[in-house]
Amino acid sequence: MKFSRIEQSPIMDKGNYVKIDHDFGYFLDPNKMASIANYEDESAALLKLMLIHEDFLRVVIENLRPEGSEKYNAIKSYKYFAPKLSAAVLLGLPVSLADAMSELNSIRNKYAHKIDYVITNEEVDKLAETIKKIKIEEINHGGYIHQVIEPILKDGIYAVALMNDLPPDLEENRLRICKLVTSAHCMCLLGAFWLINTLHVKDKLKLSMSE
């Protein structure tokens, strides 16, 4: 199963292809998520997705914390998702995006604390709907990019080719995994585009010409 290549569209700057010289290219790469869509176990998929989201929050904090604040940056000592999410929101992460990420974390927590927990279709569909509540002006607040985010905010996970290419007889748990993965992927894309805009507004966005 593959994601649409639309999410890999290069960023354009004055008509030239450029690359982003920051450490969040991982979150723009659909191939990083594609392998998780092939997992058979929902709990394993959730754990991997949450690790990716936690690393995204680390990147947000590292890129946006004030200069000279190194000795007060305790992000590496944060053991749990919630403190990292709170710190990112205080640095400007849109609350609507944080709500969506928190929804995914709440599902993971149920798995972590209830040994016989079984995820429901309703929970997964509710998670997917949270993505469409995010506003384009929150993500594209600097006007820097990008036409890619519009279909995600309009159609949610169904803007990703994976969801439209699934076989009709796919098992229910595999369908739930695919919905979880595409939801997490959309959040990563929106988060990365928001961070690009934020760094652009702060005049901290580092770009270089692609080779």
Side-chain angles (χ1 to χ4, degrees), residues 23-28 33 48-64 75 81 84-85 87-89 91-94 97-98 101 139 184-196 198-199:
D23 57 350
F24 49 82
Y26 184 102
F27 309 106
L28 292 166
M33 293 283 192
K48 182 67 173 179
L49 294 173
M50 288 309 303
L51 287 173
I52 292 173
H53 276 196
E54 286 198 37
D55 196 54
F56 168 73
L57 295 176
R58 175 194 63 79
V59 168
V60 168
I61 294 167
E62 292 288 358
N63 276 275
L64 296 183
I75 184 64
F81 179 82
K84 296 175 185 177
L85 184 61
V89 170
L91 288 170
L93 184 74
L97 179 55
M101 297 178 76
I139 303 301
H185 178 56
C186 287
M187 292 179 220
C188 280
L189 284 174
L190 294 173
F193 290 144
W194 164 79
L195 184 54
I196 291 168
T198 300
L199 291 171

Side-chain angles (χ1 to χ4, degrees), residues 95-153:
V95 172
S96 58
L97 179 55
D99 287 344
M101 297 178 76
S102 182
E103 190 73 31
L104 180 63
N105 186 52
S106 69
I107 297 174
R108 188 209 67 89
N109 285 342
K110 292 174 184 176
Y111 261 116
H113 300 296
K114 297 180 181 180
I115 194 169
D116 58 348
Y117 179 74
V118 178
I119 193 171
T120 66
N121 294 331
E122 289 75 19
E123 284 177 304
V124 175
D125 290 338
K126 179 183 176 184
L127 171 68
E129 284 300 309
T130 63
I131 294 168
K132 293 192 287 186
K133 295 179 181 179
I134 301 168
K135 301 292 190 297
I136 190 168
E137 56 268 22
E138 294 179 299
I139 303 301
N140 201 40
H141 62 95
Y144 194 71
I145 44 175
H146 197 279
Q147 69 271 18
V148 169
I149 65 177
E150 293 179 3
I152 294 174
L153 297 177

